[in-house]
Amino acid sequence: MINDLSLSPEGTKFLAVSPFIGSFLTVIADRLPVGEPFIFSRSRSDCCNKKLSAIDLIPLLSWAYLLGRCRHCKRKISIRYPVTEISSVLIALWACICLPVSLQWIGCIFGWLLLTLSLADIRYYVLPDLMNLVLLLFGFLVVLLFNRDNFFDHALGAIIGFLLLYGASVIYTSLGKTEGLGGGDIKLFAAIGAWVSWTGLPSVLFIACWTAICIYLVKSLRTGNISRKERIPFGPFLCIGAWITWIHGPLEIAF
């Protein structure tokens, strides 16, 4: 359900910090999957590995001011930085418009966690165990705080989510002799089950599968070159399904 489109003072604060959150999420997604430190280490250029100053780290504005190029070596800076920062703002805006004030901070954190996992999967085809664990535990914490009476349904959602994709992966591997779903996807779906309960898992999977099909059909029409063996990061599509289902509720089928 969409609330009044006017933002609360809390929502305005979330929007103000979201570009900086997006900048930090990019660092996590870039470094955590390869085991590099991301909290206390200095930011550096991906192009030439030079350390970045404060003027290089202003979300969106630095990228625009530098015309998308590194200040040191003049090579192009990846577009993923401004895209992630804009995505963080949109997530905060979506959460603050659609959720009551008491849940807006939870919605923002949930969306930002999903965004970080998606970035890691797109770049490295990896969904870090640490991020999946944080998502799982935070989901259970939210249920204990706001929906304690239905905790069993959410715990069951985590179990079913794990078993469902694990079983699908085993069947696909046995039939196709190749790995279908990675372990990260299975753990991510389990963590999502903790958020949406077992009743929301079909909606998450439906949205994820159809979004993936539509995007890759468009890609195949544009390039005419998609192989059955092409690696597809499925994590981002699960994250889209989880976000929509948690914010707006499970899909309703009309007969």
Side-chain angles (χ1 to χ4, degrees), residues 106-144:
I106 294 172
C108 289
I109 295 175
F110 181 47
W112 292 333
L113 285 172
L114 294 175
L115 177 60
T116 309
L117 283 160
S118 298
L119 293 171
D121 202 19
I122 290 170
R123 185 170 188 191
Y124 296 108
Y125 297 98
V126 170
L127 293 164
D129 287 343
L130 178 60
M131 293 295 301
N132 280 329
L133 180 61
V134 169
L135 188 68
L136 175 71
L137 295 180
F138 186 46
F140 282 140
L141 177 62
V142 170
V143 174
L144 286 172

Side-chain angles (χ1 to χ4, degrees), residues 6-254:
S6 60
L7 293 177
S8 65
E10 291 80 3
T12 303
K13 294 176 184 177
F14 293 141
L15 283 179
V17 302
S18 54
F20 297 92
I21 296 293
S23 181
F24 183 58
L25 297 183
T26 308
V27 174
I28 297 175
D30 284 351
R31 299 186 185 181
L32 182 59
V34 294
E36 294 183 4
F38 57 87
I39 296 179
F40 299 108
S41 60
R42 285 285 303 274
S43 296
R44 61 182 185 273
S45 170
D46 285 346
C47 305
C48 56
N49 213 34
K50 292 285 184 67
K51 290 182 179 180
L52 300 178
S53 61
I55 197 172
D56 300 311
L57 299 174
I58 303 173
L60 297 175
L61 296 180
S62 293
W63 189 87
Y65 175 74
L66 296 170
L67 301 178
R69 294 186 178 274
C70 174
R71 183 166 58 89
H72 300 286
C73 66
K74 306 304 179 184
R75 282 187 284 181
K76 287 186 177 180
I77 302 172
S78 173
I79 192 68
R80 71 178 180 276
Y81 292 102
V83 168
T84 303
E85 290 157 7
I86 292 172
S87 298
S88 297
V89 174
L90 294 177
I91 286 171
L93 182 62
W94 193 338
C96 292
I97 287 176
C98 297
L99 296 173
V101 174
S102 61
L103 293 178
Q104 288 175 3
W105 67 274
I106 294 172
C108 289
I109 295 175
F110 181 47
W112 292 333
L113 285 172
L114 294 175
L115 177 60
T116 309
L117 283 160
S118 298
L119 293 171
D121 202 19
I122 290 170
R123 185 170 188 191
Y124 296 108
Y125 297 98
V126 170
L127 293 164
D129 287 343
L130 178 60
M131 293 295 301
N132 280 329
L133 180 61
V134 169
L135 188 68
L136 175 71
L137 295 180
F138 186 46
F140 282 140
L141 177 62
V142 170
V143 174
L144 286 172
L145 291 175
F146 294 94
N147 196 15
R148 185 185 296 267
D149 292 342
N150 292 320
F151 183 82
F152 176 78
D153 289 339
H154 288 262
L156 189 61
I159 295 171
I160 292 176
F162 181 87
L163 294 177
L164 186 63
L165 285 200
Y166 178 77
S169 177
V170 170
I171 293 172
Y172 184 90
T173 301
S174 64
L175 293 177
K177 309 302 181 182
T178 57
E179 183 180 2
L181 290 169
D185 295 311
I186 298 169
K187 296 169 188 174
L188 172 60
F189 199 48
I192 289 171
W195 282 85
V196 304
S197 174
W198 66 271
T199 58
L201 290 177
S203 296
V204 174
L205 204 55
F206 180 86
I207 294 170
C209 290
W210 276 105
T211 304
I213 289 170
C214 290
I215 287 178
Y216 279 88
L217 278 177
V218 171
K219 182 179 177 180
S220 66
L221 290 174
R222 290 183 60 187
T223 65
N225 184 28
I226 286 189
S227 168
R228 290 180 58 188
K229 295 183 178 181
E230 180 179 355
R231 296 184 67 184
I232 298 174
F234 193 52
F237 302 110
L238 288 174
C239 289
I240 291 171
W243 175 253
I244 294 174
T245 301
W246 188 78
I247 291 282
H248 300 289
L251 298 172
E252 296 181 2
I253 300 176

